[in-house]
Amino acid sequence: MASGALGGLNTEARCIVLGMVNTGYRPSEGAALLGAHINLAAAVPHISIEADGRHLKSKHAKRVIPLTGVSLEAFRQCPDGFPRYRDNPSLSATVNKFMRENGLMETPGHTLYSMRHAFEDRMLAAGVDERIRRDLFGHSLGRERYGHGATLEHLQTIVQAIAL
């Protein structure tokens, strides 16, 4: 997507979309983030997907994701989260309509949620380990998890290598 392509979209919707680019969070997870879940001052800027006032899709959905590239810049614009969409289910409709009207969908079958899949495709192309991909996406591993997984610093290095 070209720089500035989302310029006509309201700030919060635009920042949620740009946040998805390098995190792969679900749109509802991004919309639900509170300022307390956004840590821009840490050595590794990151967000925490938590069940703070909401229901998570699964126990694996609770996770910490480093912020890099356009996603980090988006959160610098909205460091307190996205109150407009926190309890408002219109995000997907708003973004999908804007993207269709502006020719920003790769195909008619693409939606806002496709941004999540594009992030995974970039990780696959870069050879990112399945455990790390599943941890970043909040998916189950399909087997017992051992250890703590990658450190936030390690995740930052991996995501930075494919960040837009």
Side-chain angles (χ1 to χ4, degrees), residues 13-156:
R14 182 176 61 253
C15 287
I16 291 170
V17 172
L18 292 172
M20 286 181 73
V21 170
N22 297 317
T23 66
Y25 59 52
R26 294 170 183 92
S28 61
E29 292 173 334
L33 288 168
L34 302 171
H37 303 142
I38 302 166
N39 192 335
L40 301 175
V44 176
H46 62 277
I47 55 172
S48 299
I49 307 295
E50 300 179 23
D52 191 355
R54 65 183 296 263
H55 176 75
L56 293 179
K57 186 171 181 178
S58 72
K59 69 179 183 178
H60 304 289
K62 182 178 180 179
R63 61 203 188 278
V64 177
I65 307 170
L67 292 171
T68 61
V70 296
S71 298
L72 176 58
E73 293 309 313
F75 277 96
R76 286 185 174 143
Q77 289 180 45
C78 294
D80 295 319
F82 313 100
R84 179 176 184 165
Y85 293 103
R86 192 161 293 128
D87 295 313
N88 182 345
S90 70
L91 173 67
S92 289
T94 299
V95 173
N96 288 335
K97 179 181 178 191
F98 176 85
M99 292 180 82
R100 280 193 187 91
E101 288 176 351
N102 290 280
L104 300 174
M105 295 293 198
E106 194 172 331
T107 70
H110 280 81
T111 65
L112 169 60
Y113 207 83
S114 300
M115 301 290 281
R116 183 168 156 84
H117 299 278
F119 178 62
E120 184 167 27
D121 287 346
R122 291 193 338 263
M123 287 194 293
L124 278 168
V128 175
D129 178 79
E130 180 182 10
R131 163 82 187 261
I132 290 173
R133 291 194 323 265
R134 289 180 176 268
D135 286 351
L136 285 169
F137 271 76
H139 289 163
S140 68
L141 194 54
R143 63 175 173 77
E144 188 174 348
R145 279 188 203 276
Y146 295 100
H148 298 287
T151 65
L152 190 55
E153 291 81 3
H154 186 181
L155 292 175
Q156 180 187 41

Side-chain angles (χ1 to χ4, degrees), residues 3-14:
S3 177
L6 299 175
L9 197 55
N10 73 72
T11 300
E12 288 187 29
R14 182 176 61 253

